[in-house]
């Protein structure tokens, strides 16, 4: 999986957990017409993918700088020069958000973008990475994007926690019409500049049917994102009013070092591949279905996915598939609930809201095991699995935790937080998270997790259709059952959420 180094001098020190190199193309010499061509490209990191989480405290790499801050004024390890493409640190990297960059061996002034990655509390035996942290200004604090029927809002994390005042509100480009019924997600770093990017879907039915259904890409940067989109992704068929009703960061499906993004309608998901200027305009058809989750289930460095009840392994030749024996009502990346280094998923399966249950499927060298390792069931008439989500690692023990919503919010108004362990998800005695505003019957709960205050513990973020988003800040032993921060907004504030995906 070595990425070739192109140009006149093919010797670069390239930081890569799995592979590395530079973008191919330009040379710094004279072409046949006698005109000077552009300088050689600066080295570009490939893995761990920008904004992702790594599973090992000694990830395989070839690097110059690994830093505790984006300016690299404080180094996590001494700078090293590697005559090759991989390097493994001699000592564990500290848990938390780290940054890294590399330089050309031929020209030390040629420096890559500064990428960031999250090191978990526990080092796994398998060295891989997945997920994305929505940190649009690269300050090391997870940000949150909230979708509503009247717009979409960006709320910034900080050392003091999540702000209660949105930093930006997003409207349709060239129109005063708000982004109605917006689907929201971190796109990962789709242009490779080291900052997380934002994707917002806006199907036409959510605002003005005369406007096209699109998805917008907002590039992150030192000052965050602009209120106007940098790119517009359109329905390849040209006529689907529901295009953009689902958006998701895909990870790096094709292993080119750029994050890819998924945009779907009610029945089909399309993959837009990232690149130096962002995703290309022509997508490929990824899979069919109404539910999707993405992670690296077999640890090979390629993004894998679950569409409906079929798990597809990514790879240079497309990979293989495994069928899960459930009817999928909701599905999400669970993170790594048993600390083995492989991404796991959580599935809510229900015939209706009142008789649902939740299953955990574990990743491994062959991909997802079709036999669930844990099954959760609610009490009579309560149901489980109306929503499922990764909570990140809320108690700092190095295992992924999971949020599960009840099917009947009248019977149970609390959301359940289940903790991971070396044996997998602990199915007994979940922590009950009580929201400040009880959802009405039929209202769905959106859930996300991310470290919004940089204390090393992921925070649980819950939203309903009741103009209310509650933040439960993580800590040793788990968060309090009451929210630490309450966000309010107009319309169905909290209809959709994205914080971070672990």
């Amino acid at each position: 999986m070595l990425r070739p180094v192109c140009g006149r001098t093919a010797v670069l020190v390239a930081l890569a957990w799995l592979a590395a190199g530079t973008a191919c193309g330009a040379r710094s010499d004279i072409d046949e017409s006698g005109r000077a061509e552009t300088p050689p490209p600066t080295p570009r990191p490939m893995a761990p993918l920008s904004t992702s989480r790594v599973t090992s405290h000694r990830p395989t790499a070839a690097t110059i700088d690994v830093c505790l801050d984006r300016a690299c004024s404080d180094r996590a390890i001494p700078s090293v020069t590697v005559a090759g493409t991989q390097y493994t640190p001699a000592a564990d990297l500290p848990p938390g958000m780290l940054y890294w960059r590399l330089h050309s061996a031929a020209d030390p002034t040629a420096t890559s973008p500064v990428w960031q990655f999250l090191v978990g509390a526990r080092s796994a035996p398998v060295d891989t990475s997945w997920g994305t942290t929505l940190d649009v200004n690269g300050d090391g604090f997870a940000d949150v994007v909230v979708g509503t029927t009247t717009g979409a809002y960006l709320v910034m994390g900080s050392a003091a926690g999540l702000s209660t005042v949105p930093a930006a509100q997003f409207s349709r480009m060239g129109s005063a019409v708000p982004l109605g019924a917006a689907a929201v997600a971190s796109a990962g770093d789709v242009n490779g500049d080291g900052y997380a990017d934002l994707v917002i879907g806006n199907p036409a039915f959510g605002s003005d049917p005369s406007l096209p259904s699109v998805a917008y890409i907002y590039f992150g940067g030192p000052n965050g994102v602009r209120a106007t989109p940098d790119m517009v992704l359109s329905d390849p068929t040209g006529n689907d009013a529901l295009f953009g009703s689902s958006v998701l960061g895909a990870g790096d499906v094709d292993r080119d070092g750029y994050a890819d993004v998924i945009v779907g309608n009610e029945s089909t998901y399309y993959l837009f591949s990232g690149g130096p200027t962002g995703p290309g305009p022509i997508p490929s058809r990824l899979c069919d279905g109404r539910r999707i989750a993405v992670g690296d289930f077999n640890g090979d460095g390629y993004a894998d996915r679950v569409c409906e009840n079929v798990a597809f392994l990514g790879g240079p030749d497309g990979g293989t598939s495994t069928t899960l024996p459930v009817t999928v009502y909701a599905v999400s990346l669970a993170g790594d609930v048993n600390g083995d280094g492989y991404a796991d998923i959580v599935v809510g399966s229900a015939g209706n809201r009142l008789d649902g249950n939740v299953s955990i499927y574990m990743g491994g060298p062959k991909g997802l095991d079709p036999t669930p390792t844990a099954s959760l069931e609610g009490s009579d008439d309560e149901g489980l699995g109306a929503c499922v989500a990764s909570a990140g690692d809320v108690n700092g023990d190095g295992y992924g935790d999971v949020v599960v919503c009840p099917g009947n919010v009248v019977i149970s108004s609390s959301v359940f937080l289940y903790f991971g362990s070396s044996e997998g998800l602990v199915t007994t005695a979940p922590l009950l998270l009580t929201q400040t505003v009880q959802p009405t019957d039929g209202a769905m709960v959106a859930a996300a997790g991310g470290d919004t205050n940089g204390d090393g513990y992921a925070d649980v973020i819950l939203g309903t259709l009741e103009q209310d988003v509650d933040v439960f800040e993580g800590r040793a032993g788990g968060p309090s059952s009451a929210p630490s921060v309450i966000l309010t907004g107009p319309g169905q504030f909290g209809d959709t959420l994205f914080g971070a995906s672990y």
Side-chain angles (χ1 to χ4, degrees):
M1 293 187 291
L2 177 66
R3 181 175 175 82
V5 178
C6 305
R8 184 162 51 89
T9 57
V11 179
L12 288 179
V13 176
L15 171 56
W17 270 227
L18 298 173
T22 64
C24 300
R27 294 165 53 98
S28 61
D29 51 11
I30 306 299
D31 66 14
E32 295 178 355
S33 66
R35 293 175 297 183
E37 293 186 319
T38 56
T42 57
R44 186 175 63 78
M46 272 195 65
L49 195 63
S50 181
T51 77
S52 69
R53 170 183 173 171
V54 298
T55 62
S56 172
H57 283 193
R58 300 190 189 185
T60 305
T63 184
I64 294 296
D65 304 322
V66 179
C67 312
L68 298 174
D69 62 334
R70 182 170 286 275
C72 278
S73 60
D74 192 4
R75 306 294 170 88
I77 59 175
S79 297
V80 294
T81 299
V82 181
T85 60
Q86 295 192 94
Y87 167 73
T88 301
D92 288 353
L93 297 179
M97 194 70 74
L98 296 183
Y99 304 84
W100 59 277
R101 66 185 180 187
L102 53 110
H103 310 275
S104 168
D107 180 6
T109 64
T111 302
S112 75
V114 177
W115 278 18
Q116 70 184 73
F117 59 94
L118 180 66
V119 178
R122 184 178 301 275
S123 190
V126 176
D127 173 21
T128 185
S129 63
W130 63 76
T132 174
T133 297
L134 181 63
D135 180 9
V136 295
N137 61 352
D139 63 355
F141 303 101
D143 307 319
V144 175
V145 59
V146 182
T148 79
T149 56
T150 59
Y153 299 84
L154 176 67
V155 185
M156 306 296 287
S158 72
L162 203 62
S163 172
T164 57
V165 179
Q169 179 180 359
F170 305 101
S171 297
R172 295 184 71 101
M173 186 170 61
S175 170
V177 178
L179 285 168
V184 295
S186 171
D189 185 2
V190 295
N191 60 352
D193 65 353
Y195 294 91
D197 306 315
L198 176 63
V199 56
I200 299 180
N202 190 208
F205 76 86
S207 52
D208 184 347
S210 67
L211 297 173
S213 292
V214 294
Y216 294 127
I217 298 291
Y218 300 83
F219 292 146
N223 298 317
V225 298
R226 299 182 298 177
T228 55
D230 294 282
M231 297 189 70
V232 180
L233 305 180
S234 300
D235 171 27
T237 67
N239 59 7
D240 193 334
L242 297 177
F243 182 78
S245 58
S246 178
V247 295
L248 186 70
D252 188 3
V253 175
D254 50 10
R255 293 294 296 151
D256 64 352
Y258 297 97
D260 308 317
V261 66
I262 296 170
V263 182
N265 54 32
E266 287 282 276
S267 61
T268 304
Y269 290 101
Y270 298 95
L271 179 71
F272 292 82
S273 296
T277 59
I282 308 300
S284 59
R285 188 177 182 126
L286 187 65
C287 61
D288 295 330
R290 300 185 59 173
R291 309 284 184 252
I292 191 169
V294 178
D296 186 3
F297 308 133
N298 63 347
D300 66 352
Y302 289 91
D304 311 317
R305 63 193 183 276
V306 173
C307 292
E308 290 296 304
N309 67 327
V310 181
F312 298 90
L313 293 181
D317 300 318
T320 59
S321 63
T322 300
T323 300
L324 306 179
V326 292
T327 299
V328 175
Y329 181 83
V331 62
S332 172
L333 178 69
D336 183 7
V337 298
N338 64 345
D340 64 354
Y342 299 99
D344 311 315
I345 67 164
V346 55
V347 173
S349 55
N352 58 61
R353 290 188 298 111
L354 305 184
D355 63 0
N357 59 74
V358 173
S359 300
I360 299 293
Y361 293 88
M362 310 295 284
K366 297 181 180 180
L368 286 180
D369 187 336
T371 301
T373 59
S375 183
L376 315 173
E377 295 185 2
S379 60
D380 292 344
D381 295 328
E382 178 183 72
L384 281 181
C387 80
V388 293
S390 166
D393 180 10
V394 299
N395 57 357
D397 63 357
Y399 302 104
D401 307 315
V402 171
V403 173
V404 176
C405 303
N408 188 336
V409 295
V410 172
I411 298 297
S412 175
S413 61
S414 296
V415 173
F416 305 97
L417 175 63
Y418 291 87
F419 296 101
S421 73
S422 60
E423 302 300 319
L425 204 66
V426 179
T427 60
T428 57
L431 180 63
L432 302 184
L433 305 178
T434 303
Q435 295 176 271
T436 53
V437 178
Q438 180 176 336
T440 57
D441 187 23
M444 302 301 291
V445 178
D451 186 3
T452 61
N453 58 1
D455 63 355
Y457 301 96
D459 308 317
V460 180
I461 306 156
L462 301 177
T464 70
L465 305 182
E466 306 294 336
Q467 302 183 27
D468 169 290
V469 171
D470 296 326
V471 181
F472 300 79
E473 292 183 345
R475 62 186 183 185
S480 169
S481 60
S484 309
V485 179
I486 302 171
L487 311 177
T488 59
Q492 293 178 326
F493 193 74
D495 184 10
T496 56
L497 281 174
F498 191 90
S501 178
Y502 294 102

